[in-house]
């Protein structure tokens, strides 16, 4: 064997730099957590985690400056990977900013929370950049297992423990489907590298029914992870039961990473039978939008409502995936970035308003918020308007590009039904706005001050939403440029 | 019937029979021992495929390590509480129907599939081949698995430790 092939080159490491920084930072936190005393304030570990995430964010352009595959084609550093690394890191940064005060309030401020967020981010980064089904599986599992624990982090909270258990069982079930699909694909093509699978399928066995079945199994596994109907049942319970910052994290970060591998696998490896899975994705997208929007109409708990709304938004992204085109991929990328901003902004507001023990999470509790806390109400309004898809917000352009891509690809019915869906969705977002602005406050007690991290998150997401709502080109041009995959 | 075919069917019977018993036995200890029989059958199949390394690691890791751990855990929990329990859901007809449909679908797929020609193992030592693949081509996944295990350990300790 040639020993030169044995040692990874420096460029290999640079292409993997964001995940390396996150992993090293996570392990460092693990050691520091053990070294600091039990009764000390652990907020400083949170700040350290924030510094690690910022470091990883700076490493993303470094990885992008060295495009190509590394470690024998395990990891690919391209614009697509860099985009999703950035989105997940941004969500992670928001999570950490919101959690220091949240964890102190719930008296559960320990370092493990922060290191699990870092490990989950490393897993999501591996997912975004993986070029190999084995890496996809490992990244997905690292991200998922950290998420299960984060969902049940407040162990004395019954709803949280229930959420963690449900998430764990259904998530493992979904992973089993994915893994079964991977093993079939390996049996049929003899490869786990995405490009090698593509070549093997294109070289004559493309009509292979076993490969189609394997793709179907993997589709089920990934549909679970992006909470597409009919595999969405876990999402409402988990988002409702998990701590509010974690719900925001789960609904934006791992979901974006799951969509990233969804797009990459289906457009790289399985492109040769795109005509077969298009109808399946069509139905999946429509069902997801319908289930999410109609269930959200009846919710009185804001977290649960946002969970159903996140299912509906996964449906919109699936419309973009159904187009199976570069324009659609770019639209999905833009939408997921915009969605991360607006959804996390909303969850940040909920994190603050829920109060100790998350006892104030119904729409009734938001009554009269505009007169009590006008700034929080205003920032939450920006997020909700963007989720509705009102012009001048990022959500408007997100939906616009998705439906434009769908119409360009002759998916007229799906676009029409999708537009009707977003009209339905306006109702439940407006219900919150009406409660905040058109009702008197229930109580007259003085509101608690908003912690700095949550304030920063809300201002940042509102500013991002409005910027993208006026200058969508900032992100869309990038997405358009990098919506093609290495083939 | 060749000798190889005879062993193939013998090991398959062990694997399938053991798996069936593992999910039907009411006693947890019996179920674990049936699982061991099933794993032995799979190990035999690996040997028939000339995959000696997998055969050995199947025996050492699954039967020697994991299953022993299963038995320890089963012995530690109160078995009598579980023995009296009746299965309370009545979904088995649905489960049987789904399994039958999946089985038929698999048979149809299998008959229509164009599978790549089966490969025989080269005569080079199997262990060397595994080592080369694992520590060269798949070095990074091999390392990343350790991160996965670390996360799992930290997570389980966090959720299971005594309340402060």
């Amino acid at each position: 064997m040639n020993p030169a092939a044995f040692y990874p080159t420096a460029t290999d490491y640079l292409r993997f730099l964001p995940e390396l920084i996150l992993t090293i930072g996570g392990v460092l936190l693990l050691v520091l957590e053990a070294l600091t005393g039990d009764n000390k304030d652990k907020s400083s570990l949170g700040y350290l985690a924030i510094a690690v995430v910022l470091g990883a964010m700076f490493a993303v352009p470094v990885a992008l400056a060295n495009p190509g595959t590394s470690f024998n084609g395990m990891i690919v550093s391209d614009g697509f990977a860099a985009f999703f690394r950035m989105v997940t890191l941004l969500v992670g940064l928001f999570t950490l900013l919101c959690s220091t005060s949240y964890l102190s309030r719930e008296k559960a401020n320990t370092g493990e929370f922060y290191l699990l967020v870092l490990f989950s981010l490393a897993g999501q980064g591996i997912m975004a950049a993986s070029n190999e089904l084995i890496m996809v599986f490992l990244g997905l599992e690292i991200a998922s297992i950290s998420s299960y624990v984060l969902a049940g982090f407040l162990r004395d909270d019954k709803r949280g423990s229930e959420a963690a258990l449900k998430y764990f069982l259904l998530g493992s079930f979904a992973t089993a489907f994915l893994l079964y699909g991977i093993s079939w694909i390996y049996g049929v093509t003899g490869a786990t590298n995405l490009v090698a699978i593509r070549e093997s399928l294109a070289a004559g066995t493309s009509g292979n029914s076993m490969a189609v079945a394997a793709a179907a199994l993997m589709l089920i596994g990934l549909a679970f992870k992006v909470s597409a109907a009919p595999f969405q049942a876990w999402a409402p319970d988990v988002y409702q039961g998990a701590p509010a910052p974690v719900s925001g994290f789960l609904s934006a970060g791992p979901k974006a990473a799951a969509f990233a591998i969804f797009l990459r696998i289906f457009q790289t490896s399985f492109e040769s039978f795109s005509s077969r899975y298009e109808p399946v994705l069509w139905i999946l997208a429509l069902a997801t939008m319908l289930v999410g929007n109609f269930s959200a109409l009846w919710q009185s708990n804001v977290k649960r409502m946002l969970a159903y709304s996140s299912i509906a938004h996964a449906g919109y992204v699936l419309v973009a995936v159904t187009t199976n085109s570069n324009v659609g991929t770019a639209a999905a990328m833009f939408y997921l970035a915009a969605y991360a901003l607006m959804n996390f902004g909303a969850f940040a507001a909920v994190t603050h308003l829920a109060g100790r023990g998350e006892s104030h999470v119904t729409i009734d509790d938001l009554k009269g918020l505009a007169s009590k806390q006008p700034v929080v109400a205003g920032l939450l309004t920006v997020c909700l308007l963007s989720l509705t898809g009102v012009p001048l917000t990022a959500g408007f352009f997100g939906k616009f590009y998705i439906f434009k891509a769908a119409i360009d690809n002759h998916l007229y019915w799906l676009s029409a039904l999708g537009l009707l869906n977003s009209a339905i969705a306006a109702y439940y977002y407006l219900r919150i706005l009406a409660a905040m602005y058109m009702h008197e406050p229930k109580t007259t007690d003085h509101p608690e001050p908003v912690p700095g991290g949550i304030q920063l998150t809300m201002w940042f997401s509102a500013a991002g939403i409005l910027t993208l709502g006026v200058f969508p080109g900032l992100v869309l041009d990038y997405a358009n440029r990098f919506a093609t995959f290495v083939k | 019937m060749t000798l190889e075919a005879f062993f193939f069917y013998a090991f398959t019977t062990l694997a399938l029979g053991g798996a069936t018993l593992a999910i039907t036995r009411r006693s947890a200890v019996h179920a674990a021992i049936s699982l061991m029989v099933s794993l032995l059958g799979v190990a035999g199949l690996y040997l028939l495929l000339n995959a000696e390394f997998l055969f050995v690691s199947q025996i050492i890791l699954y039967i020697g390590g994991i299953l022993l751990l299963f038995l320890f855990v089963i012995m530690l929990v109160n078995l009598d509480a579980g023995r009296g329990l009746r299965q309370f859901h009545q979904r088995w007809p649905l489960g049987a129907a789904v399994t039958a449909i999946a089985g038929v679908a698999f048979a149809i797929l299998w008959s229509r599939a164009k599978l790549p020609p089966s490969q025989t193992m080269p005569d080079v030592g199997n262990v060397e081949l595994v080592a080369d693949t694992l520590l060269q081509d798949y070095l990074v996944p091999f390392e990343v698995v350790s991160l996965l295990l670390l996360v799992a350990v930290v997570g389980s300790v966090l959720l299971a430790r005594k309340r402060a």
Side-chain angles (χ1 to χ4, degrees):
Chain A
M1 280 285 171
N2 176 15
F6 201 88
Y7 302 111
T9 60
T11 327
D12 281 351
Y13 287 112
L14 286 180
R15 288 172 186 150
F16 200 41
L17 194 58
E19 287 74 42
L20 286 177
I21 291 181
L22 288 169
T23 311
I24 294 170
V27 175
L28 188 69
L29 273 180
L30 186 61
V31 176
L32 286 178
E33 153 67 30
L35 289 181
T36 50
D38 267 349
N39 301 317
K40 297 269 169 57
D41 180 34
K42 301 290 175 94
S43 296
S44 51
L45 294 178
Y47 303 136
L48 185 62
I50 289 172
V52 171
V53 172
L54 286 175
M57 279 177 149
F58 281 110
V60 172
V62 176
L64 181 60
N66 295 285
T69 61
S70 63
F71 306 115
N72 290 316
M74 294 293 144
I75 286 286
V76 59
S77 173
D78 54 8
F80 183 80
F83 186 87
F84 278 100
R85 277 168 166 168
M86 215 57 181
V87 171
T88 51
L89 286 171
L90 187 69
V91 172
L93 185 67
F94 285 169
T95 312
L96 293 170
L97 281 172
C98 291
S99 355
T100 38
S101 58
Y102 179 89
L103 292 174
S104 304
R105 191 177 74 199
E106 305 292 340
K107 303 211 177 356
N109 199 353
T110 56
E112 286 94 353
F113 185 94
Y114 307 114
L115 72 94
L116 283 170
V117 171
L118 291 186
F119 284 149
S120 180
L121 288 175
Q124 291 163 32
I126 292 172
M127 280 158 86
S130 57
N131 192 33
E132 162 90 17
L133 290 176
I134 292 173
M135 290 303 278
V136 167
F137 166 70
L138 288 174
L140 188 70
E141 272 305 270
I142 293 171
S144 304
I145 289 182
S146 325
S147 309
Y148 305 148
V149 182
L150 285 174
F153 195 78
L154 303 177
R155 287 181 311 145
D156 299 324
D157 185 72
K158 272 189 190 154
R159 291 163 307 173
S161 307
E162 184 196 332
L165 188 65
K166 272 188 180 160
Y167 196 22
F168 171 68
L169 290 176
L170 288 175
S172 312
F173 196 52
T175 311
F177 269 102
L178 184 76
L179 208 52
Y180 200 31
I182 292 176
S183 53
W184 275 31
I185 264 299
Y186 181 67
V188 175
T189 64
T192 49
N193 185 293
L194 296 183
V195 182
I197 292 170
R198 176 195 174 83
E199 281 160 4
S200 164
L201 290 178
T205 45
S206 59
N208 199 318
S209 48
M210 291 289 273
V212 175
L217 285 170
M218 290 170 70
L219 180 72
I220 293 174
L222 292 173
F224 255 110
K225 296 288 174 188
V226 301
S227 69
F231 311 110
Q232 88 296 356
W234 58 272
D237 289 341
V238 172
Y239 293 177
Q240 186 185 358
V246 173
S247 310
F249 180 65
L250 296 181
S251 66
K255 193 176 264 188
F259 266 118
I261 53 170
F262 202 129
L263 285 162
R264 200 189 280 277
I265 290 176
F266 276 83
Q267 296 200 5
T268 306
S269 301
F270 298 141
E271 206 193 12
S272 55
F273 29 83
S274 58
S275 58
R276 293 216 200 175
Y277 63 74
E278 195 200 280
V280 180
L281 283 178
W282 199 100
I283 295 169
L284 217 59
L286 183 62
T288 311
M289 289 190 289
L290 286 174
V291 168
N293 281 322
F294 277 98
S295 314
L297 290 177
W298 328 117
Q299 305 306 324
S300 58
N301 182 310
V302 178
K303 275 169 87 185
R304 202 171 174 82
M305 196 208 83
L306 283 173
Y308 280 114
S309 121
S310 99
I311 293 172
H313 286 279
Y316 301 131
V317 181
L318 278 172
V319 172
V321 179
T322 312
T323 65
N324 190 33
S325 62
N326 289 345
V327 187
T329 306
M333 288 161 76
F334 181 85
Y335 199 87
L336 285 165
Y339 172 74
L341 287 173
M342 56 204 192
N343 205 49
F344 208 98
F347 268 111
V350 172
T351 304
H352 167 61
L353 296 170
R356 177 163 298 157
E358 293 199 18
S359 44
H360 299 294
V361 283
T362 63
I363 293 183
D364 278 351
D365 293 320
L366 294 176
K367 277 185 178 165
L369 186 70
S371 59
K372 271 200 300 188
Q373 302 188 58
V375 178
V376 177
L379 294 173
L380 180 56
T381 306
V382 173
C383 297
L384 290 174
L385 288 178
S386 181
L387 286 166
T388 321
V390 171
L392 289 181
T393 61
F396 169 75
F397 279 110
K399 288 206 176 69
F400 176 78
Y401 291 127
I402 281 181
F403 292 123
K404 186 172 172 297
I407 289 170
D408 285 350
N409 286 279
H410 314 294
L411 299 167
Y412 302 115
W413 275 106
L414 190 59
S415 320
L417 292 167
L419 283 171
L420 274 178
N421 257 291
S422 42
I424 298 167
Y427 171 76
Y428 55 85
Y429 296 124
L430 289 177
R431 246 175 85 204
I432 299 187
L433 291 182
M436 289 196 303
Y437 284 96
M438 298 162 93
H439 286 273
E440 290 302 312
K442 277 204 307 187
T443 53
T444 50
D445 55 341
H446 205 66
E448 283 178 32
V450 190
I454 294 181
Q455 253 184 46
L456 196 64
T457 306
M458 292 184 67
W459 278 106
F460 190 92
S461 44
I465 288 166
L466 293 176
T467 313
L468 288 186
V470 182
F471 307 109
L474 290 176
V475 168
L476 192 75
D477 289 346
Y478 181 90
N480 267 322
R481 198 147 52 95
F482 290 113
T484 47
F485 299 97
V486 182
K487 281 170 186 167
Chain B
M1 192 153 75
T2 63
L3 197 62
E4 201 179 330
F6 168 76
F7 276 115
F8 173 77
Y9 286 112
F11 287 136
T12 313
T13 315
L14 276 183
L16 288 179
T20 315
L21 284 177
I23 56 169
T24 47
R25 289 291 87 195
R26 192 167 287 275
S27 153
V29 177
H30 290 178
I33 290 170
S34 316
L35 188 63
M36 184 161 80
V37 174
S38 172
L39 293 175
L40 263 178
V42 176
L45 289 176
Y46 285 144
L47 195 59
L48 277 184
L49 290 168
N50 289 341
E52 303 102 14
F53 180 75
L54 271 182
F55 166 73
V56 172
S57 47
Q58 171 87 0
I59 299 223
I60 293 177
L61 289 179
Y62 276 88
I63 300 171
I66 295 176
L67 214 80
L68 211 66
L69 208 67
F70 274 18
L71 281 173
F72 270 129
V73 173
I74 291 170
M75 307 276 180
L76 281 177
V77 298
N78 185 5
L79 278 180
D80 297 329
R83 198 166 295 162
L85 286 178
R86 289 254 144 220
Q87 212 166 17
F88 57 85
H89 65 79
Q90 299 293 330
R91 299 274 174 77
W92 66 267
L94 184 68
V98 171
T99 313
I101 291 170
V104 170
F106 186 77
I108 292 173
L109 277 179
W110 187 258
S111 63
R112 290 176 50 190
K114 284 180 278 177
L115 289 177
S118 63
Q119 295 170 354
T120 44
M121 280 282 174
D123 281 337
V124 196
N126 187 244
V127 181
E128 282 93 328
L129 274 181
V130 170
D132 277 352
T133 316
L134 200 61
L135 295 178
Q136 285 191 3
D137 300 347
Y138 291 90
L139 178 65
V140 168
F142 182 69
E143 294 289 342
V144 170
V145 167
S146 57
L147 178 59
L148 177 60
L149 293 176
L150 178 66
V151 172
V153 168
V154 171
S156 49
V157 168
L158 198 63
L159 290 183
R161 76 174 169 201
K162 284 212 173 69
R163 281 171 170 74

